[in-house]
Amino acid sequence: MEKIEHLGIAVRDLEEAIPRYENLFATPCYKRELVESQGVETAFFMVGPNKIELLAAITEDSPIAKFLAKKGEGIHHTAFAVADIKSEMERLTNEGFRLLMD
């Protein structure tokens, strides 16, 4: 693994969360993205050299909606930058980690 690519934070309401996190981080949201295949809308922030991603469900059966129902708002994932995703996935599987997606 080369570095932490970003931290993902699940939020219930992206429109409410963006201004709150803009104030917290003292920086504007620089990108929003709709990922319909995952049932999520995201908003990104640069905090120094680090990226933070807010994730809000757009469907009731999305992974983020299920996470929020079970655990509430908070850190959802840490994304790592790697040189070769396929070999890293194989390495982690061989080490006993359970991958959420192929």
Side-chain angles (χ1 to χ4, degrees):
M1 291 184 200
E2 298 172 358
K3 67 174 187 167
I4 293 176
E5 206 289 324
H6 71 268
L7 295 177
I9 301 173
V11 298
R12 294 190 193 287
D13 183 334
L14 200 59
E15 299 306 322
E16 186 272 331
I18 288 173
R20 184 171 22 128
Y21 280 88
E22 286 176 332
N23 287 333
L24 174 66
F25 299 143
T27 190
C29 168
Y30 74 88
K31 175 178 143 182
R32 288 180 70 161
E33 185 176 356
L34 184 63
V35 186
E36 291 187 39
S37 64
Q38 291 293 312
V40 68
E41 185 175 5
T42 66
F44 283 90
F45 298 83
M46 286 299 300
V47 182
N50 307 299
K51 282 195 283 189
I52 307 292
E53 175 190 31
L54 302 182
L55 305 107
I58 58 170
T59 62
E60 291 182 18
D61 63 341
S62 72
I64 295 299
K66 292 174 185 174
F67 176 90
L68 288 165
K70 185 175 181 179
K71 299 185 179 183
E73 292 186 319
I75 294 178
H76 176 263
H77 67 270
T78 304
F80 294 91
V82 298
D84 181 342
I85 187 69
K86 294 291 184 184
S87 62
E88 189 64 15
M89 290 169 70
E90 182 178 342
R91 181 185 78 79
L92 291 170
T93 299
N94 291 338
E95 291 291 331
F97 289 90
R98 182 178 59 91
L99 303 181
L100 297 178
M101 301 177 80
D102 293 334

